[in-house]
Amino acid sequence: MPKKAFITGITGQDGAYLTHLLLSKGYEVHGLMRRTSQFNVARLMELCGGTAFEDKLFLHYGDSTDSLNITTLVEDIRPDEIFNLAAQSHVKVSFEMPVYTCDVDALGTLRILEAVRQAHLTDKTHVYQASTSELFGKVHEIPQSESTPFHPRSPYGVAKLFAYWMTVNYRESYGMFASNGILFNHESPFRGETFVTRKITMAAARILNGLQERLELGNMDAKRDWGHARDFVEAMWLILQHDEPGDFIIATGEQHSVREFVTLAFEYAGVSIRWEGEGVNEVGIARVPVYSPNRENASVSRFKPETGFGNTPMEERVVVSVNPEFFRPAEVETLLGNPAKSRQLLGWEAKTSFPQLVQEMMDYDLRKIPIL
Ligand code: NAP
Ligand code: F7E
């Protein structure tokens, strides 16, 4: 009998990569999907292909805020493994929707854990909780490990802290195999478009094709430990295969600033950015194709890594500036993980380097630019 997995958040970035991984391991995969006005399976289709839906992948309508729906699904599916990835996952949005964020991210996790208990599956079902480096927030030590004290800085972080401890509590109270993966930022071409990395690669691809004038960002000094989602979902799976449940940091052990990410994205096309000014007056200046959104300039050709800019007219202008609209009420300035425990106990380590991650995202977003 193939193992059965139930993934909440299957339509998100990690859900799609994890589904691909589990299908390749022969699992029967069940996913929780919200009812939306348009079918929301683009990532799954692109990564897993349509045939995956025919006999191995089953999608169920539901919502993490609906206890009855979650309990019924867990009882019906009786999964061997649950990956609780569903979340309102945007930190800045959590300041605008704190109550909803807590309902989904905090109580949503409790609903999953309690559903397993109510269905008498505590001895059978392994539960993975998508915990986060945002628990560390205003960091108490650098780098952060499993023993670093938590200090969340957003409604998102606080909600995830509740979920973290509830997972520990169900493990300690009921002997459940319930584990937290404390994952640092992980990105990919399938990252949501309003997270900073994807916002940067999409904007850089458009600017390099004359289709966008400039990129506006918030705090460019923020530093993150950025890895690739494809590598990180392997860690999720390994956590549930380990002999014992526990809590694991998953990180690359390397950090970069938002400014460095921007610099590397443009360097992909051989374009150097000159940074000038400070704070809200900081700008990035570069020599790039003339901004020509309607292509009235017929000689503008498509940028390709192999051929470069061809005969495209170029100009030097501001391509990056700061817009305080993107600042957060409380910022997480620096995150750097120490993945020693997961390396030692799970044999996991990040495979994709920072430059490879930026390159893969740039390749993808440049391909997505409409043919002109
Ligand atoms: P994502 O792309 O934003 O995906 C979130 C998923 O949750 C989507 O499938 C979304 O559905 C679903 N969802 C949102 N609200 C829901 C609700 N009320 N009921 C049911 N499903 C709901 O996030 P991700 O980057 O894949 O992250 C996966 C998980 O890991 C999240 O819990 C996130 O908080 C956590 N995490 C992420 C990172 C990271 O760097 N990516 C790091 C640490 C932890 P729709 O498609 O319908 O919106
Ligand atoms: O911001 C700064 C921003 O939104 C990264 C989620 O997956 O990872 C993610 O949360 C940094 C922050 O991710 C812009 O202020 C500057 O310091 O890409 P982000 P995040 O907040 O780190 C954690 C681990 C999760 O668990 C979350 O679910 O970049 N920044 N300018 C900006 N950020 C955004 N979004 N947009 C900007 O214009």
Side-chain angles (χ1 to χ4, degrees), residues 8-16 32-36 40 43 62-66 70 84-90 100 103-105 128-134 156 160 181-187 190-192 195 225-227 229 232 236:
T8 71
I10 195 164
T11 55
Q13 170 190 255
D14 292 4
L32 182 77
M33 186 180 68
R34 294 197 282 184
R35 191 270 153 184
T36 44
N40 180 18
R43 289 178 172 115
D63 199 295
S64 298
T65 58
D66 182 342
I70 295 294
N84 184 38
L85 309 185
Q88 190 303 91
S89 72
H90 202 285
Y100 175 73
D103 196 354
V104 180
D105 299 11
Y128 172 87
Q129 168 54 19
S131 284
T132 164
S133 51
E134 285 292 305
Y156 170 80
K160 285 283 189 175
I182 307 173
L183 271 56
F184 283 61
N185 298 53
H186 45 281
E187 319 294 312
F190 296 98
R191 185 59 144 152
F195 295 98
D225 179 332
W226 277 299
F232 280 44
M236 295 179 185

Side-chain angles (χ1 to χ4, degrees), residues 209-211 288-293 295 297 300 312-315 317:
N209 279 282
L211 293 170
V288 290
V290 169
Y291 175 51
S292 173
R295 282 293 181 265
N297 186 339
V300 173
T312 305
M314 306 286 277
E315 64 180 353
R317 67 163 194 273

Side-chain angles (χ1 to χ4, degrees), residues 108-128:
T109 305
L110 174 56
R111 290 182 184 104
I112 287 283
L113 293 163
E114 188 56 13
V116 171
R117 195 173 78 87
Q118 294 291 336
H120 307 291
L121 292 170
T122 43
D123 291 337
K124 170 185 166 80
T125 306
H126 290 194
V127 179
Y128 172 87

Side-chain angles (χ1 to χ4, degrees), residues 302-319:
R302 188 177 163 82
F303 167 81
K304 292 202 190 81
E306 318 82 60
T307 51
F309 292 103
N311 59 356
T312 305
M314 306 286 277
E315 64 180 353
E316 188 171 86
R317 67 163 194 273
V318 171
V319 288

